[in-house]
Amino acid sequence: MAPVLRIGAVTKRFGAQTVLDRCVLDVAEGEIVTLLGPSGCGKTTLLRCIAGFWDADDGRILVDGHDMSRVPVNRRPVGVVFQSYALFPHLTVAANVGYGLKMRGVAKAEIARRVAAALETVSLTGFEARYPAQLSGGQQQRVAIARVMVLEPRVLLLDEPFNALDAKLRGAMQVDLRQLIKRLGMTAIFVTHDQEEALTMSDRIAVMRGGKIEQVAPPEEIFDRPATAYVADFIGSSNFWEGRASGGRVALPDAQTVPTDLDGPVKIMARPHNLRLDPGGEGAWRGTIRFHRSIGPLVEYHVGMDDGTALRVVLMRQERAGLLVEGAPVSVAVLDPDLCAIYQDR
């Protein structure tokens, strides 16, 4: 099947600065794809080009095979949920949700029917007469989503929609919004700088860096098999150390080896949960506990290795076993060498 949204080598410049550099991305029917990256990487610029707020300098954006380059903002089959929700404070919930339909000249009876259906979908039936100031942050967000849904867009664009919510509500709304989008079968582009949010919301994640898309893959692959050292460092916590590839293998400091197609100096990455700590420092890779902190059921240890490597190791907290104290000698080993990633600077 042809993708609902096709981003073909899109480039955007502001003066001499290239903000998007030949970005390529296809989004399938019913898929949620997240644009993830730090501030300034180009993710919001790409979303604004899709919406039509800005024109791309090169490349094409297609929706259902139709080139959007000459289609004005109000004619594009996309809907945008903004960070601030952008609700009209002087309009009721029903009037906010129906505003776009009213601007399109839809009959009052049809507006009423579609507004009622949208509010039922986002569990806000009975809130029609309230004003935004009378709603919680989560309720305002659902109104903003309902206002877009009634327009029946082919592509839903969400620009960091959880920024205004507290941490606990953010977690709940991430799950609720993903379930809602999936239930409606909508195709969505989600923008965030929060990696945990991206891992929760997405069918696929497009990690961006300096205006380019570094890797596009499902969340599990992005986390377990990051394509570049940048992706590995940006997604989750990572440990890096220097090594050397020779004869199709890389030797790890704990005497295990990892297969690789690379040759010469390499950078090795292991996630903190893929390392084991042994008290006493009797193993091949020895070090000392420098710091520890409890994170609910987990303990994160910072270990200074005798070879100068600094590591973070995350273990399940066991109350009866007690914690390893600062200064305690330990040895570190890799649990699964196949989960280590090997990189060379490009």
Side-chain angles (χ1 to χ4, degrees):
M1 293 178 61
V4 172
L5 174 66
R6 169 159 285 172
I7 298 168
V10 166
T11 297
K12 178 64 179 176
R13 304 179 191 89
F14 292 101
Q17 183 182 10
T18 300
V19 180
L20 296 177
D21 189 359
R22 299 185 300 279
C23 292
V24 174
L25 181 65
D26 286 351
V27 183
E29 183 87 43
E31 189 177 29
I32 302 174
V33 173
T34 294
L35 306 179
L36 174 66
S39 298
C41 71
K43 57 188 185 296
T44 296
T45 300
L46 183 53
L47 180 136
R48 288 178 173 271
C49 287
I50 297 169
F53 301 143
W54 291 332
D55 294 326
D57 294 311
D58 294 298
R60 297 199 304 167
I61 295 172
L62 308 178
V63 177
D64 289 327
H66 301 292
D67 191 342
M68 296 288 107
S69 60
R70 297 184 180 277
V71 180
V73 174
N74 62 334
R75 298 286 184 180
R76 294 198 180 195
V78 302
V80 186
V81 177
F82 299 98
Q83 291 184 33
S84 62
Y85 311 143
L87 301 178
F88 296 111
H90 62 289
L91 297 182
T92 65
V93 166
N96 264 287
V97 174
Y99 183 82
L101 296 174
K102 182 180 178 181
M103 291 299 98
R104 293 184 179 185
V106 177
K108 288 185 178 180
E110 177 66 7
I111 292 175
R113 183 191 68 79
R114 288 167 66 173
V115 167
L119 290 176
E120 181 179 5
T121 299
V122 298
S123 302
L124 285 177
T125 299
F127 287 75
E128 292 84 352
R130 296 194 188 185
Y131 290 86
Q134 298 173 306
L135 305 176
S136 68
Q139 289 167 340
Q140 289 182 43
Q141 184 190 61
R142 282 185 278 160
V143 173
I145 293 168
R147 183 176 59 185
V148 172
M149 284 169 42
V150 294
L151 301 176
E152 300 175 349
R154 285 294 284 142
V155 182
L156 177 64
L157 306 175
L158 302 117
D159 186 12
E160 306 207 50
F162 303 122
N163 270 11
L165 305 179
D166 62 64
K168 187 172 183 179
L169 184 55
R170 279 179 78 143
M173 287 301 296
Q174 288 166 16
V175 176
D176 289 346
L177 182 55
R178 175 175 169 82
Q179 291 177 336
L180 174 62
I181 292 171
K182 284 299 178 182
R183 188 170 75 246
L184 297 174
M186 301 183 78
T187 302
I189 295 287
F190 185 86
V191 168
T192 185
H193 63 273
D194 187 315
Q195 54 180 279
E196 182 177 332
E197 204 162 87
L199 293 169
T200 300
M201 289 290 302
S202 314
D203 295 313
R204 287 188 301 145
I205 298 172
V207 181
M208 297 189 67
R209 176 191 188 188
K212 296 183 177 182
I213 295 177
E214 192 98 347
Q215 182 179 4
V216 184
E220 297 80 9
E221 184 176 339
I222 289 280
F223 188 85
D224 293 334
R225 301 293 179 190
T228 66
Y230 171 81
V231 175
D233 190 40
F234 189 76
I235 301 290
S237 297
S238 302
N239 295 295
F240 290 94
W241 63 90
E242 303 298 323
R244 188 167 191 85
S246 178
R249 310 291 296 185
V250 175
L252 302 179
D254 64 359
Q256 300 185 81
T257 63
V258 180
T260 181
D261 295 330
L262 302 175
D263 190 65
V266 295
K267 184 178 290 186
I268 304 164
M269 186 280 289
R271 298 292 189 190
H273 66 271
N274 192 32
L275 298 177
R276 184 183 77 239
L277 273 183
D278 294 317
E282 299 300 323
W285 199 13
R286 300 177 183 180
T288 305
I289 299 294
R290 301 299 187 199
F291 173 77
H292 76 267
R293 61 172 180 152
S294 295
I295 313 170
L298 304 176
V299 181
E300 180 183 85
Y301 290 99
H302 293 206
V303 186
M305 307 306 294
D306 292 349
D307 62 9
T309 304
L311 298 176
R312 282 178 292 177
V313 182
V314 173
L315 307 175
M316 290 295 297
R317 182 166 63 87
Q318 299 176 350
E319 293 181 19
R320 294 182 181 179
L323 297 173
L324 294 169
V325 298
E326 282 79 355
V330 294
S331 59
V332 177
V334 175
L335 289 172
D336 187 350
D338 288 339
L339 292 181
C340 291
I342 313 297
Y343 304 105
Q344 276 182 326
D345 292 335
R346 295 185 295 175

